[in-house]
Amino acid sequence: MTTSNDRPVAVVTGASSGIGAATARQLANQGFHVVLGARRTELTEKIAAEIDGTALPLDVTDRDSVRGFVDYTAELGARLLVNNAGGAKGLAPVADADEEQWRWMWETNVIGTLRLTKGLLPALVESGDGHIITVTSVAALEPYDNGAGYTGAKHAQAMLHRTLRGELLGQPIRLTEIAPGLVETEFSLVRFDGDAAKADQVYAGLTPLTARDVAEVIGFAASRPPHVNLDTIVLKPRDQASASRAHRRQ
Ligand code: 8X3
């Protein structure tokens, strides 16, 4: 087993790209031993080698995969969990909703967050200074047309996270919700099933956030002293007013 060399252990899900990968790098820079969970281990293994972390296979939709991941990670002594795995599939009115896409969004964003959180809670409490950072979205704050599958899943994920504030009161665990707006990552490519032209349109004419912009904020939240809990952080590009309103230059 890889040891943490006395560094505090941070677990990042969805760590193969985008916000997850940038967060793994950020936290390693801040002195964490980072466990990177993702399906694409060929990507996480590279990052883990660069940051002296540990890459483990993780499919949050697969109960056995989560069990193996949690067992290993809990033994390392996790102090910080970053629930980042998730995403969107499709952008369609409810009238044309694709049940498979809805199921995938529920499985990854909601059940995935539930499984990791539930599995690592004992280790996080045991650490004496646990922290759960859940990456939701502006889609967890408001609805937008054609987005009900995703906004619904993100609202549910956020409710799971926010409910823990009460349930864990008195325990040594902080809970931070990070709700980003437009961040240019693989997010839209996944949403549009690999259609790069459609994905590019999402960020056209504005300056979106980068994965690193979000990772730096996550790192800031993680580096506050134990009694300081950054509760909810909404971050959007200057060009974005809400989930459905942005300024685009010609
Ligand atoms: C991604 C942000 O506005 O595309 O979580 O829903 S948005």
Side-chain angles (χ1 to χ4, degrees), residues 137-139 144 150 180-181 187 191 240 243:
S137 167
V138 290
Y144 58 81
Y150 182 62
F187 174 84
R191 171 170 247 176
Q240 185 178 21

Side-chain angles (χ1 to χ4, degrees), residues 68-131:
F69 181 86
V70 162
D71 286 351
Y72 186 102
T73 310
E75 211 171 304
L76 277 180
R79 190 159 84 65
L80 167 62
L81 166 63
V82 182
N83 282 313
N84 169 70
K89 281 220 198 261
L91 191 65
V94 172
D96 298 328
D98 178 318
E99 278 189 25
E100 281 313 307
Q101 291 184 335
W102 276 56
R103 195 164 285 117
W104 182 87
M105 288 188 272
W106 191 269
E107 281 281 338
T108 55
N109 295 285
V110 189
I111 307 296
T113 297
L114 172 64
R115 286 183 177 148
L116 268 296
T117 303
K118 204 175 155 189
L120 286 176
L121 253 185
L124 293 166
V125 171
E126 178 69 20
S127 78
D129 179 23
H131 195 168

Side-chain angles (χ1 to χ4, degrees), residues 11-248:
V11 178
V12 181
T13 68
S16 57
S17 67
I19 294 172
T23 298
R25 291 181 196 282
Q26 176 69 32
L27 294 175
N29 280 339
Q30 292 179 204
F32 281 94
H33 175 102
V34 181
V35 179
L36 300 97
R39 279 171 306 167
R40 294 178 293 176
T41 45
E42 71 280 9
L43 297 179
T44 49
E45 272 163 12
K46 265 196 187 154
I47 302 168
E50 285 168 35
I51 64 174
D52 191 20
T54 304
L56 290 180
L58 174 66
D59 177 354
V60 299
T61 68
D62 178 335
R63 209 188 291 259
D64 291 336
S65 166
V66 173
R67 192 172 299 127
F69 181 86
V70 162
D71 286 351
Y72 186 102
T73 310
E75 211 171 304
L76 277 180
R79 190 159 84 65
L80 167 62
L81 166 63
V82 182
N83 282 313
N84 169 70
K89 281 220 198 261
L91 191 65
V94 172
D96 298 328
D98 178 318
E99 278 189 25
E100 281 313 307
Q101 291 184 335
W102 276 56
R103 195 164 285 117
W104 182 87
M105 288 188 272
W106 191 269
E107 281 281 338
T108 55
N109 295 285
V110 189
I111 307 296
T113 297
L114 172 64
R115 286 183 177 148
L116 268 296
T117 303
K118 204 175 155 189
L120 286 176
L121 253 185
L124 293 166
V125 171
E126 178 69 20
S127 78
D129 179 23
H131 195 168
I132 300 171
I133 298 181
T134 301
V135 181
T136 63
S137 167
V138 290
L141 307 174
E142 54 176 319
Y144 58 81
D145 292 355
N146 307 322
Y150 182 62
T151 57
K154 280 294 180 188
H155 274 71
Q157 180 197 31
M159 281 307 153
L160 180 169
H161 175 93
R162 294 173 202 165
T163 298
L164 288 170
R165 287 190 208 295
E167 292 179 354
L168 296 176
L169 207 52
Q171 304 274 10
I173 298 231
R174 284 181 281 164
L175 287 144
T176 301
E177 179 179 344
I178 305 278
L182 290 161
V183 188
E184 192 161 15
T185 61
E186 289 179 356
F187 174 84
S188 292
L189 210 53
V190 172
R191 171 170 247 176
F192 298 121
D193 210 13
D195 185 331
K198 257 189 178 172
D200 287 348
Q201 275 309 306
V202 175
Y203 312 104
L206 53 76
T207 307
L209 299 175
T210 64
R212 191 166 165 205
D213 293 327
V214 181
E216 285 174 353
V217 172
I218 291 173
F220 180 74
S223 60
R224 296 309 86 204
H227 68 289
V228 178
N229 186 56
L230 278 169
D231 184 298
T232 308
I233 303 172
V234 182
L235 64 160
K236 295 182 294 215
R238 188 180 64 193
D239 292 326
Q240 185 178 21
S242 70
S244 54
R245 193 163 168 220
H247 173 72
R248 295 179 196 272

